[in-house]
Coordinates of all heavy atoms in Angstrom, one line a residue:
T1491 N -48.4 98.1 -23.9 CA -47.8 98.1 -22.6 C -47.8 96.7 -22.0 O -46.8 96.3 -21.3 CB -48.6 99.1 -21.6 OG1 -50.0 98.8 -21.6 CG2 -48.4 100.5 -22.1
K1492 N -48.9 96.0 -22.2 CA -48.9 94.6 -21.6 C -47.9 93.7 -22.2 O -47.3 92.9 -21.5 CB -50.3 94.0 -21.9 CG -50.5 92.6 -21.4 CD -51.9 92.1 -21.6 CE -52.1 91.6 -23.0 NZ -53.4 91.0 -23.3
N1493 N -47.6 93.9 -23.5 CA -46.6 93.0 -24.1 C -45.2 93.6 -24.1 O -44.2 93.1 -24.7 CB -47.0 92.7 -25.6 CG -48.2 91.8 -25.5 OD1 -48.1 90.6 -25.2 ND2 -49.4 92.3 -25.9
N1494 N -45.0 94.8 -23.5 CA -43.7 95.5 -23.4 C -43.0 95.6 -24.7 O -41.8 95.2 -24.8 CB -42.9 94.8 -22.3 CG -41.7 95.6 -21.8 OD1 -41.8 96.8 -21.8 ND2 -40.6 95.0 -21.5
V1495 N -43.6 96.1 -25.7 CA -43.0 96.2 -27.0 C -42.4 97.6 -27.3 O -41.8 97.8 -28.4 CB -44.0 95.8 -28.2 CG1 -44.3 94.3 -28.1 CG2 -45.2 96.7 -28.2
L1496 N -42.6 98.5 -26.4 CA -42.0 99.9 -26.6 C -40.7 99.9 -25.8 O -40.7 99.6 -24.6 CB -43.0 100.9 -26.1 CG -42.6 102.4 -26.2 CD1 -42.5 102.7 -27.7 CD2 -43.6 103.3 -25.5
N1497 N -39.6 100.3 -26.5 CA -38.3 100.5 -25.8 C -38.4 101.5 -24.7 O -39.3 102.4 -24.7 CB -37.3 101.0 -26.8 CG -36.7 99.9 -27.6 OD1 -36.7 98.8 -27.2 ND2 -36.2 100.3 -28.8
K1498 N -37.5 101.5 -23.7 CA -37.5 102.4 -22.6 C -37.6 103.9 -23.0 O -38.3 104.6 -22.4 CB -36.2 102.2 -21.8 CG -36.0 103.1 -20.6 CD -34.7 102.8 -19.9 CE -34.4 103.9 -18.9 NZ -33.1 103.9 -18.4
N1499 N -36.9 104.3 -24.1 CA -36.9 105.6 -24.5 C -37.8 105.8 -25.8 O -37.7 106.8 -26.5 CB -35.5 106.1 -24.8 CG -34.7 106.2 -23.5 OD1 -35.2 106.7 -22.5 ND2 -33.5 105.7 -23.5
G1500 N -38.6 104.8 -26.1 CA -39.4 104.8 -27.3 C -40.6 105.8 -27.2 O -40.9 106.2 -26.1
I1501 N -41.2 106.0 -28.4 CA -42.4 106.9 -28.4 C -43.5 106.2 -29.1 O -43.3 105.3 -30.0 CB -42.1 108.3 -29.0 CG1 -41.7 108.1 -30.5 CG2 -41.1 109.0 -28.3 CD1 -41.7 109.4 -31.3
V1502 N -44.7 106.6 -28.7 CA -45.9 106.1 -29.4 C -46.6 107.3 -30.1 O -46.7 108.4 -29.4 CB -47.0 105.5 -28.4 CG1 -48.3 105.1 -29.2 CG2 -46.4 104.3 -27.8
I1503 N -46.9 107.2 -31.3 CA -47.5 108.3 -32.1 C -48.9 107.9 -32.4 O -49.1 106.8 -33.0 CB -46.8 108.7 -33.3 CG1 -45.3 109.0 -33.0 CG2 -47.5 109.8 -34.1 CD1 -44.4 109.1 -34.2
L1504 N -49.9 108.6 -32.0 CA -51.3 108.4 -32.3 C -51.9 109.4 -33.2 O -51.7 110.6 -33.0 CB -52.2 108.4 -31.0 CG -51.9 107.5 -29.8 CD1 -52.8 107.9 -28.7 CD2 -52.2 106.1 -30.2
E1505 N -52.6 108.9 -34.2 CA -53.4 109.9 -35.1 C -54.8 109.5 -34.7 O -55.3 108.4 -34.9 CB -53.1 109.6 -36.5 CG -53.8 110.6 -37.4 CD -53.4 110.5 -38.9 OE1 -52.2 110.2 -39.2 OE2 -54.3 110.7 -39.7
H1506 N -55.6 110.6 -34.2 CA -56.9 110.3 -33.8 C -57.8 111.5 -33.9 O -57.3 112.6 -34.0 CB -56.9 109.8 -32.3 CG -56.2 110.7 -31.4 ND1 -56.9 111.5 -30.5 CD2 -54.9 111.0 -31.1 CE1 -56.0 112.2 -29.8 NE2 -54.8 111.9 -30.1
V1507 N -59.1 111.3 -33.8 CA -60.1 112.4 -33.8 C -60.9 112.4 -32.5 O -61.6 113.4 -32.3 CB -61.1 112.3 -35.0 CG1 -60.3 112.5 -36.3 CG2 -61.8 111.0 -35.1
T1508 N -60.9 111.4 -31.8 CA -61.6 111.3 -30.5 C -60.6 111.4 -29.3 O -59.4 111.1 -29.5 CB -62.5 110.1 -30.4 OG1 -61.6 108.9 -30.5 CG2 -63.5 110.1 -31.4
E1509 N -61.0 111.6 -28.1 CA -60.2 111.6 -27.0 C -59.6 110.2 -26.7 O -60.4 109.3 -26.8 CB -60.9 112.1 -25.7 CG -60.1 112.3 -24.5 CD -60.8 112.8 -23.3 OE1 -61.8 113.6 -23.5 OE2 -60.5 112.5 -22.2
V1510 N -58.4 110.1 -26.4 CA -57.7 108.9 -26.0 C -57.2 109.0 -24.6 O -56.4 110.0 -24.3 CB -56.6 108.5 -27.0 CG1 -56.0 107.2 -26.6 CG2 -57.2 108.4 -28.4
K1511 N -57.4 108.0 -23.7 CA -57.0 108.1 -22.3 C -55.7 107.4 -22.2 O -55.6 106.3 -21.6 CB -58.1 107.5 -21.4 CG -59.4 108.3 -21.5 CD -60.4 107.7 -20.6 CE -61.7 108.3 -20.8 NZ -62.2 109.3 -20.1
W1512 N -54.6 107.9 -22.7 CA -53.3 107.3 -22.6 C -52.7 107.2 -21.2 O -51.9 106.4 -20.9 CB -52.3 108.1 -23.6 CG -52.1 109.5 -23.2 CD1 -51.3 110.0 -22.2 CD2 -52.7 110.6 -23.7 NE1 -51.4 111.3 -22.1 CE2 -52.3 111.8 -23.1 CE3 -53.6 110.8 -24.8 CZ2 -52.7 113.0 -23.4 CZ3 -54.0 112.1 -25.1 CH2 -53.6 113.2 -24.4
Q1513 N -53.2 108.1 -20.3 CA -52.7 108.1 -19.0 C -53.0 106.8 -18.2 O -52.2 106.4 -17.4 CB -53.3 109.3 -18.2 CG -53.1 110.6 -18.8 CD -54.2 111.0 -19.7 OE1 -54.9 110.2 -20.3 NE2 -54.4 112.3 -20.0
D1514 N -54.1 106.2 -18.7 CA -54.4 104.9 -18.0 C -53.4 103.8 -18.3 O -53.5 102.7 -17.6 CB -55.8 104.4 -18.6 CG -57.0 105.3 -18.2 OD1 -56.8 106.2 -17.3 OD2 -58.0 105.2 -18.7
F1515 N -52.5 104.0 -19.2 CA -51.5 103.0 -19.5 C -50.1 103.4 -19.2 O -49.1 102.8 -19.7 CB -51.6 102.7 -21.0 CG -53.0 102.3 -21.4 CD1 -53.9 103.2 -21.9 CD2 -53.5 101.0 -21.2 CE1 -55.2 102.9 -22.2 CE2 -54.8 100.7 -21.5 CZ -55.7 101.6 -22.0
G1516 N -49.9 104.3 -18.3 CA -48.6 104.7 -17.8 C -47.8 105.5 -18.8 O -46.6 105.5 -18.8
L1517 N -48.5 106.1 -19.8 CA -47.8 106.9 -20.8 C -48.0 108.4 -20.5 O -48.9 108.9 -19.9 CB -48.4 106.6 -22.2 CG -48.2 105.2 -22.6 CD1 -49.1 104.9 -23.9 CD2 -46.8 104.8 -22.9

């Protein structure tokens, strides 16, 4: 988010086993 590398309509896919706080980053 800081480097603005995701397109306006882009998606981020996370593979994880623990909780991730994506809301903190405007996602």
Side-chain angles (χ1 to χ4, degrees):
T1491 55
K1492 182 175 82 175
N1493 292 289
N1494 197 32
V1495 294
L1496 183 64
N1497 280 336
K1498 177 182 170 190
N1499 296 315
I1501 63 169
V1502 175
I1503 304 169
L1504 298 173
E1505 186 175 322
H1506 57 102
V1507 294
T1508 58
E1509 185 178 331
V1510 177
K1511 298 181 192 260
W1512 60 80
Q1513 305 89 335
D1514 294 347
F1515 304 97
L1517 297 171

